[in-house]
Amino acid sequence: MMVTESCVISSFAGNGKKKGCPNVCQGGAYALRDRRDEDFPVATDQYCRNHILNSRDLDMAPYYKDLVRAGIAAIRIEGRGRSPKWLAEQVARYRRLCDGTETLVLGKEDQTVTRGHFFHGIL
């Protein structure tokens, strides 16, 4: 969802500064909790930036044809923290969509994913 230069983890569990940082981010899994009790994972990269991930997967596969019509030429699959098996399944799924061998319809399985930030933006 976003990237921040200010270390959220160090603000609470460290000294709040990059210089002399105790690297508390390396010791476990961290998340931010919103007013609806949804947890948004926080991942740190090698440059001490925090990547705030969505609480649910963003799944635009059912809207693939709409995205192509809108001129979208590339899709990024975020695989950070995922297993190779999960990533291979997602790549294969989108490959089938690109080839036209799979058509998706919205269904009950969509309860575990989100599309809200795509359609509504972030307030």
Side-chain angles (χ1 to χ4, degrees):
M1 286 188 7
M2 71 182 263
V3 178
T4 177
E5 293 285 336
S6 301
C7 185
V8 176
I9 300 164
S10 182
S11 295
F12 290 98
N15 60 13
K17 300 176 184 173
K18 285 188 179 186
K19 188 173 185 177
C21 177
N23 294 319
V24 292
C25 60
Q26 305 299 317
Y30 295 92
L32 298 175
R33 181 168 291 151
D34 74 358
R35 66 186 182 284
R36 298 158 111 186
D37 283 335
E38 294 280 345
D39 288 335
F40 294 77
V42 178
T44 306
D45 66 19
Q46 68 269 27
Y47 304 108
C48 294
R49 292 181 298 221
N50 290 169
H51 297 255
I52 314 298
L53 307 177
N54 206 324
S55 61
R56 296 181 189 193
D57 288 337
L58 174 67
D59 181 12
M60 296 305 296
Y63 295 93
Y64 175 77
K65 288 183 181 179
D66 295 330
L67 296 172
V68 170
R69 278 194 296 273
I72 304 294
I75 294 175
R76 176 181 176 188
I77 299 173
E78 176 62 64
R80 186 185 312 259
R82 300 301 186 130
S83 70
K85 180 181 183 242
W86 181 90
L87 191 55
E89 289 169 355
Q90 297 306 311
V91 169
R93 179 180 183 213
Y94 276 93
R95 182 76 260 160
R96 290 190 304 271
L97 287 168
C98 291
D99 295 341
T101 58
E102 182 170 336
T103 304
L104 296 176
V105 192
L106 297 175
K108 291 182 182 178
E109 71 279 357
D110 294 324
Q111 301 302 315
T112 61
V113 299
T114 186
R115 294 182 189 92
H117 287 128
F118 181 81
F119 289 114
H120 304 293
I122 298 174
L123 301 176

